[in-house]
Amino acid sequence: KQSVETRAVDAVELAQAIAADKKAASEKYGVKTTTGPVFPVKFTGVIGERKANYSVIAVEGLPAELTLRVQTGPALNGTDLRDATGQIEFGQFKNQIEYQDAGSAINNEVKKVVLGDLDPASLSGKTVSVIGVFKLVNPKSWIVTPVRFDVQ
C-alpha cells in the first residue's frame, strides 16, 4: 500500500504520458508484468454509474474517451495489486495456485481495510479521492483497484 501511495501519479498527467508514448510512460511510471504494465495512480472525481463491482468516476482533465472505473466491491478481481509491487514473483511460490492465492489475499485485505463498511450503492454523485493501481490493457478504459478510497 505504501509503495503504491509513494509512487502514484496524477491521473491526468499519466493519461497524457500514455497518450504521448505508451512505452516511455510504462518505463517511467509502470511496473512491468507479462500481461502489460501496472500503473500506480491517484485522482479526485465524482462517482457516476455503478455496474457490477465497479463505479465509474468522472475526473476533470481526463480525455472524454477515457472511462475510469474503480473496483468498489463486493468482489475485487484481478492481481493488479500483487503485481504493482514488482516484488512478488511467480518464482517465489510453489505453484500457480499459491501465486494466485497471494493476489486474492491482498485483494481481501484491501476489501477489509480500504473499502470496509462502504456501501457502493450510496456513492453516486459523491466526490472521492482515490489512490490505486490499474493494468494498462486498454488505454481508453482503466479499472483501478484502490489502496486508498476517501469519500469527501
Side-chain angles (χ1 to χ4, degrees), residues 8-54:
V9 182
D10 177 75
V12 175
E13 180 185 333
L14 189 55
Q16 289 167 345
I18 291 168
D21 186 339
K22 194 165 101 176
K23 188 171 184 276
S26 300
E27 286 167 9
K28 183 172 181 184
Y29 302 116
V31 172
K32 195 174 177 179
T33 74
T34 53
T35 52
V38 175
F39 289 98
V41 65
K42 60 185 172 187
F43 51 87
T44 298
V46 178
I47 295 203
E49 186 184 14
R50 177 165 167 75
K51 276 188 182 163
N53 295 309
Y54 307 99

Side-chain angles (χ1 to χ4, degrees), residues 12 43-49 55-63 66-70 125-128:
V12 175
F43 51 87
T44 298
V46 178
I47 295 203
E49 186 184 14
S55 297
V56 174
I57 301 192
V59 177
E60 200 174 315
L62 282 182
L66 172 59
T67 302
L68 186 110
R69 290 175 292 184
V70 175
K126 295 201 167 130
T127 298
V128 293

